[in-house]
Amino acid sequence: MASWSPPTTRSCSTRTPSWYGPGATRAPTLNFGLRIPASRFLCKRKLSQDKDDLSRRQVIAALRRPGPYSHPAPADEMEREWEAEGGR
């Protein structure tokens, strides 16, 4: 009869965990649920304020291009914010 050894892992430890028994292939799984009610929801927008002019132009152009990422309204808003900051 061959002696049992734990499965190979990348752990530094050479000790066999106490929950491993003969023939075990993994640690037991513990599942539980936790519900936390939301008391508030906060939404913030970031319109690339910390980006350079080239990056802003590229993002605005990409939002105006036809396709799955086409969103002209945020592009217009980004452009208005940029102009208000003295960009362009």
Side-chain angles (χ1 to χ4, degrees):
M1 178 175 193
S3 65
W4 177 83
S5 61
T8 306
T9 63
R10 292 180 180 219
S11 173
C12 313
S13 174
T14 57
R15 294 179 8 179
T16 301
S18 60
W19 61 76
Y20 275 71
T25 58
R26 64 181 192 157
T29 304
L30 301 173
N31 292 320
F32 64 93
L34 180 64
R35 289 183 185 218
I36 302 173
S39 61
R40 64 188 171 130
F41 185 80
L42 181 63
C43 181
K44 294 184 179 184
R45 297 177 311 161
K46 185 166 187 322
L47 301 175
S48 303
Q49 296 96 336
D50 63 343
K51 301 298 180 195
D52 59 277
D53 289 350
L54 175 63
S55 296
R56 286 184 178 197
R57 274 194 293 273
Q58 290 172 336
V59 169
I60 291 169
L63 288 171
R64 288 198 171 123
R65 261 192 302 259
Y69 302 110
S70 177
H71 295 287
D76 294 340
E77 193 172 350
M78 289 175 70
E79 196 164 46
R80 279 192 303 273
E81 290 287 328
W82 186 19
E83 288 172 355
E85 293 173 14
R88 279 212 122 185

